[in-house]
Amino acid sequence: MADGAQHHSVVKGFIFSAVFWLLVGLLVGLWIAAEMIFPSLNLTPWLSFGRLRVVHTNGLIYGFTLSGIFACSYYMLEKLTRTPIAFPRLARAHLYLFNAAVLLAAVSLFAGISTAKEYSELEWPFDVVVVVIWVMFSANVLGTLVKRREKQMYVSLWFLIATVVTVAVVYILNNLAMPVNLLKSYSAYAGVNDANVQWWFGHNAVASVFTFPILAMFYYFLPKSTGLPIYSHRLSIIAFWSLVFGYLWTGAHHLMLTPVPEWIQTVALAFSMFLIAPSWGSVINGYYTMNGNWEQMRTNYLTKFFILGITFYGLQTIQGPTQAIRALSGLFHYTEWVVGHVHMGTMGWVTMIISASLYFVVVKVYGRDVHSVKLVGVHFWLILVGQLLFSVSLWVAGIAQGAMWKATNADGSLTYTFLDSVASMVPYWKIRLAAGTIYFAGIVVFAYNLVRTARPKTAAA
Amino acid sequence: MKLYENPVLLAVAAAVVISVGTLVTTFIPLFHPSTQPVSPLVKPYTAIELEGRDIYIREGCNNCHTQTVRPLRTEVARYGDYSKPEEFAWDRPFLWGSRRTGPDLARAGGKYPDSWHYRHMANPQGMFEKSNMPSYAWLAKRRLDTSASFRKVTVLGYGYGADEVQRQIDGFRSTVTAASYPSAAARARVTPEDLRGGITEMDAMVAYLQKLGRDLKEAARRESAGVRTAAAAEARNPYAGDKKAEEEGEDLYKANCRSCHGKKAEGGFGPDLTDPQWKFGGTDGDIFASIAGGRPGGMPAFESMLGKDRIWKTIAYLRKLGRR
């Protein structure tokens, strides 16, 4: 094996970075879920909802998801190219710089240093660091691919390449700004253009962080963990190119019925519908791979994560375009429905796939069996139930809220005040808090199981 | 296939493929003035309003409040007129938000007096028992830092000189600290004694909230008061005697006016526009006001459809007919 100890330590480092930021991000999430019900929990300025929500989203997108992506990418790169990482010392620097940056970035968001652009809130000096980190990662991805011994590049590697390119383009363009000083800048774009560029970024951050690299993991770790070859290579090629082409047109479906030019909204809606096809290409590829071997859902402790994960991906990619339809957007947008939607994607699809992939990688890089298969099952059921309860309750809440905003009396006047709609949300918010707690418990089990696998109790051994 | 064996080639191919949608939906609109029109009716923020806006950003208010009213019947009934692109010309970043945990604020300006905001920001549950908005009482306990204000408006290109920024700050301070300030009592109740003589972060926040949607509301009010008609009466046609504009005006006339005023404006369903008789006044300004705002007895308003420029061109054509 070409595996040296050095790069494995980077993979290990990113695995536990992912677990750490996941726990932190979810804890912040629980706190803000409680603040929705009990506003007195906004104890200090840095604990107020407006600042914490940003810590929650950024912590989980950048701290957790990117760590998971880096861990699995470095692992997959070496395996799929049968070549050691091109620049192992750069990868190590990447690990340290990344964690330092996430920590400092979290502190800056707690302090209210923010650009207000969603998922792009970090001020410009952090953007510069993010770009440096991304260059370090990209250099290793492309460098290793150029030096590779395996001639063919498997589909996971294309998704990785697409990730490297798309993140760079959307992140840099959306963050162009005019600095006032070190901690303050104003967007390079004004008003409607800023909105349009922002959601072009926002949606493609979803594509290039929550979709391409997660599909890369899915296409690699599903066959690896089941021992079954992927059903159709050709289908994955078609899905890849149409996904990469189609995603960039759809940002404005976040801006339906706003002052953004109508044609941009309509084009975004049309391409959103189009994206159902390539998204489901991957879903079908996953299901057909299992054909005749569905008993692995019971016998293989990882298969159920991948299959449920890709199922939520499938549901997510139908629900998303549906919400873009103007009539439905008019009802759902700005309500809890969208929050339910997002959390099906992140808690269901993204975290399911990363969880299973990390189990697989931990077992490989530590050369031991997983600490407890039973606990893997506990983890699975807790996050599944937690996520379903979370999303379903918020969908119901969103429909109720949207309907209350629209309700009119016989004379055309409004039936409910805004505050009526707030008060009616409280029961749903309580269910959401309970669901989030169940989910968090599952993640604690996950973290414990990974740590125990990496460091078995010597006394017990 | 070579493409699937060459990572650099694949990266370049991916870059090209993603750039198509990017170019069409974000890059090209960036260079279209119609995407973000600029209207003289919508004024940039004052230095104080901008500081308030920056506090709004710092506290992440946009995580719970939207700032765009959609063109839906119930939404217009709840918040006010739907949002227009020209309202956001000075907004960097935009603050439309994505979730309404609290109500939309695009039309908050002028809805309530300042005193309402002081009371509400300090203790939302004191005014609305079931509200889940955090208290921002501490904003009144912090002096507003205006040391970067001039630099901020300069970076944003608002066109104020250093003197003007200082004048805005001083003017605002004397307004909110005056004994005659209508919201003086509410302000004093939330502001610690040693800060009452200066500007607090809460003061700036209230100033910002009062600016939201105010310019268009005031324009509408002026319009209904007939101020626009009076202003138009003093106006002169920038295209007077311009041959090319007269030709364009003829086309505009044919498309919009002929059906009522006749082929050569000799009159029909509407009055003759070639004779020296004008029911509502014959100066350029009067005619502009008639076309732009309409007149009782059947003349519709054309301003929102044609815009100022094309109305003046139409008038240039009518003047040409009158000279014959």
Side-chain angles (χ1 to χ4, degrees):
Chain A
M1 268 328 295
D3 306 351
Q6 195 167 32
H7 69 264
H8 265 178
S9 73
V10 171
V11 172
K12 289 172 185 171
F14 274 119
I15 290 172
F16 289 100
S17 309
V19 173
F20 177 76
W21 295 118
L22 177 59
L23 289 168
V24 172
L26 289 180
L27 261 183
V28 175
L30 285 179
W31 187 266
I32 56 177
E35 282 182 342
M36 297 284 277
I37 311 165
F38 310 108
S40 56
L41 289 175
N42 292 274
L43 295 165
T44 63
W46 58 272
L47 276 180
S48 62
F49 184 95
R51 295 192 191 180
L52 277 194
R53 188 237 170 191
V54 182
V55 178
H56 168 68
T57 54
N58 281 266
L60 289 172
I61 296 170
Y62 298 109
F64 160 62
T65 311
L66 280 189
S67 293
I69 291 167
F70 292 145
C72 295
S73 298
Y74 281 132
Y75 179 83
M76 286 191 292
L77 262 179
E78 292 197 322
K79 293 294 175 190
L80 285 170
T81 59
R82 293 194 291 124
T83 311
I85 287 289
F87 315 109
R89 286 167 69 183
L90 188 68
R92 180 174 287 275
H94 172 200
L95 171 66
Y96 292 133
L97 181 62
F98 172 82
N99 278 294
V102 172
L103 182 68
L104 273 179
V107 170
S108 80
L109 295 176
F110 270 119
I113 298 164
S114 160
T115 65
K117 292 176 75 164
E118 273 184 73
Y119 323 128
S120 197
E121 283 96 345
L122 295 177
E123 262 299 354
W124 69 272
F126 287 103
D127 295 337
V128 174
V129 176
V130 170
V131 171
V132 170
I133 288 172
W134 203 253
V135 169
M136 295 165 97
F137 175 59
S138 311
N140 252 324
V141 171
L142 293 176
T144 310
L145 286 171
V146 168
K147 289 164 81 175
R148 76 189 188 283
R149 296 200 196 108
E150 170 63 52
K151 193 168 172 230
Q152 279 301 320
M153 288 199 299
Y154 182 62
V155 59
S156 294
L157 295 175
W158 319 343
F159 274 114
L160 216 51
I161 292 171
T163 305
V164 163
V165 172
T166 313
V167 168
V169 171
V170 300
Y171 195 85
I172 292 173
L173 289 183
N174 189 47
N175 280 293
L176 291 181
M178 310 176 290
V180 174
N181 54 42
L182 255 185
L183 303 176
K184 180 77 193 165
S185 67
Y186 293 115
S187 174
Y189 316 100
V192 176
N193 278 308
D194 195 41
N196 193 35
V197 172
Q198 156 63 25
W199 283 111
W200 163 81
F201 158 83
H203 199 70
N204 289 291
V206 172
S208 52
V209 175
F210 288 159
T211 306
F212 301 161
I214 313 300
L215 282 173
M217 295 178 200
F218 178 76
Y219 277 114
Y220 178 77
F221 291 109
L222 176 70
K224 275 288 165 188
S225 62
T226 55
L228 304 167
I230 204 77
Y231 165 69
S232 165
H233 190 64
R234 176 170 298 182
L235 186 56
S236 66
I237 295 182
I238 297 169
F240 174 80
W241 287 110
S242 14
L243 211 58
V244 172
F245 177 73
Y247 247 106
L248 282 290
W249 298 76
T250 59
H253 70 207
H254 292 257
L255 296 165
M256 300 313 275
L257 300 167
T258 68
V260 163
E262 278 186 36
W263 71 266
I264 302 181
Q265 300 178 27
T266 304
V267 166
L269 167 55
F271 273 89
S272 302
M273 292 295 165
F274 162 78
L275 277 182
I276 294 174
S279 305
W280 272 76
S282 294
V283 178
I284 287 166
N285 229 341
Y287 287 165
Y288 274 57
T289 298
M290 295 313 296
N291 227 353
N293 293 278
W294 283 101
E295 83 288 349
Q296 286 205 20
M297 289 292 279
R298 275 179 288 111
T299 57
N300 181 328
Y301 68 88
L302 293 181
T303 306
K304 54 184 177 290
F305 284 92
F306 289 113
I307 292 304
L308 263 292
I310 201 75
T311 302
F312 287 124
Y313 175 67
L315 295 175
Q316 188 76 359
T317 51
I318 286 190
Q319 195 181 44
T322 311
Q323 287 162 203
I325 297 168
R326 276 191 181 81
L328 294 177
S329 177
L331 176 68
F332 292 143
H333 200 34
Y334 307 129
T335 71
E336 293 291 4
W337 172 282
V338 179
V339 185
H341 169 70
V342 172
H343 284 84
M344 173 165 67
T346 50
M347 297 164 94
W349 157 240
V350 174
T351 308
M352 281 272 185
I353 300 297
I354 293 183
S355 295
S357 304
L358 291 186
Y359 276 130
F360 185 90
V361 175
V362 155
V363 165
K364 291 288 179 190
V365 295
Y366 285 93
R368 293 185 199 104
D369 281 342
V370 70
H371 166 69
S372 162
V373 172
K374 200 172 165 194
L375 284 183
V376 176
V378 174
H379 159 209
F380 172 80
W381 284 106
L382 285 175
I383 67 170
L384 178 65
V385 170
Q387 179 252 313
L388 281 176
L389 196 59
F390 192 112
S391 295
V392 174
S393 63
L394 290 190
W395 292 333
V396 178
I399 295 170
Q401 197 170 30
M404 286 179 85
W405 291 348
K406 280 178 173 292
T408 51
N409 300 315
D411 65 351
S413 59
L414 297 169
T415 310
Y416 300 103
T417 65
F418 190 85
L419 204 62
D420 290 335
S421 78
V422 174
S424 76
M425 288 293 105
V426 174
Y428 301 105
W429 288 340
K430 287 180 176 163
I431 298 173
R432 185 250 299 267
L433 180 59
T437 308
I438 295 170
Y439 191 89
F440 182 70
I443 294 300
V444 170
V445 172
F446 171 52
Y448 174 80
N449 213 2
L450 281 188
V451 170
R452 265 289 109 84
T453 307
R455 290 188 180 194
K457 258 192 185 139
T458 37
Chain B
M1 227 172 119
K2 185 102 176 96
L3 180 62
Y4 299 109
E5 288 166 16
N6 185 338
V8 177
L9 194 63
L10 191 64
V12 172
V16 170
V17 169
I18 66 167
S19 66
V20 183
T22 304
L23 277 176
V24 176
T25 61
T26 63
F27 200 70
I28 292 172
L30 213 49
F31 296 97
H32 250 273
S34 67
T35 312
Q36 180 53 73
V38 181
S39 160
L41 293 178
V42 179
K43 302 275 181 283
Y45 300 98
T46 65
I48 296 292
E49 288 161 358
L50 183 69
E51 292 294 352
R53 191 173 198 266
D54 284 343
I55 295 165
Y56 186 97
I57 291 171
R58 184 187 73 197
E59 297 314 325
C61 305
N62 56 299
N63 288 295
C64 289
H65 293 282
T66 55
Q67 284 189 20
T68 172
V69 180
R70 296 176 292 178
L72 300 171
R73 183 188 149 209
T74 46
E75 202 138 304
V76 169
R78 189 178 300 280
Y79 300 114
D81 198 6
Y82 65 87
S83 295
K84 319 285 190 303
E86 61 267 29
E87 294 181 67
F88 304 99
W90 304 104
D91 285 17
R92 290 169 196 258
F94 81 112
L95 291 173
W96 296 352
S98 60
R99 172 76 184 92
R100 279 183 190 145
T101 300
D104 187 272
L105 299 178
R107 300 282 173 254
K111 187 172 179 185
Y112 304 110
D114 292 357
S115 54
W116 187 97
H117 288 288
Y118 283 111
R119 285 180 56 187
H120 181 252
M121 297 273 287
N123 182 11
Q125 285 74 34
M127 288 174 83
F128 302 104
E129 199 193 333
K130 289 181 174 172
S131 165
N132 65 349
M133 175 162 152
S135 158
Y136 285 96
W138 54 275
L139 287 180
K141 300 181 175 104
R142 291 169 63 135
R143 197 181 292 280
L144 183 73
D145 178 6
T146 54
S147 61
S149 298
F150 174 61
R151 201 172 146 64
K152 285 178 174 180
V153 297
T154 310
V155 166
L156 287 168
Y158 285 178
Y160 310 139
D163 295 355
E164 169 64 12
V165 168
Q166 198 52 52
R167 204 186 54 73
Q168 288 175 357
I169 295 170
D170 293 342
F172 181 79
R173 185 187 300 109
S174 47
T175 302
V176 293
T177 56
S180 58
Y181 176 47
S183 301
R187 178 174 185 268
R189 210 169 298 128
V190 300
T191 314
E193 207 166 346
D194 57 321
L195 292 179
R196 281 181 206 157
I199 305 172
T200 67
E201 291 192 344
M202 173 98 72
D203 295 329
M205 177 68 100
V206 173
Y208 170 62
L209 292 173
Q210 295 289 24
K211 157 81 174 175
L212 292 175
R214 194 184 60 202
D215 291 344
L216 282 198
K217 275 188 192 174
E218 281 180 3
R221 211 169 295 137
R222 278 200 304 275
E223 195 176 330
S224 59
V227 175
R228 196 189 57 175
T229 317
E234 293 165 26
R236 293 167 55 88
N237 189 350
Y239 294 108
D242 181 330
K243 284 263 172 331
K244 226 180 126 216
E246 287 170 2
E247 279 170 29
E248 261 183 75
E250 183 171 2
D251 292 338
L252 287 164
Y253 178 86
K254 282 181 187 157
N256 298 287
C257 321
R258 186 171 64 173
S259 56
C260 291
H261 292 282
K263 223 175 204 167
K264 288 278 166 200
E266 72 283 5
F269 176 73
D272 184 343
L273 302 176
T274 56
D275 61 8
Q277 305 284 321
W278 293 91
K279 266 167 90 176
F280 297 99
T283 68
D284 279 357
D286 292 332
I287 300 174
F288 182 91
S290 298
I291 300 176
R295 294 294 184 186
M299 174 70 183
F302 283 91
E303 184 160 19
S304 60
M305 216 160 84
L306 293 178
K308 281 196 179 59
D309 205 52
R310 292 196 289 175
I311 293 176
W312 284 124
K313 286 173 179 165
T314 311
I315 295 172
Y317 170 65
L318 293 176
R319 289 302 192 200
K320 182 185 154 196
L321 293 177
R323 283 199 299 273
R324 286 199 187 131

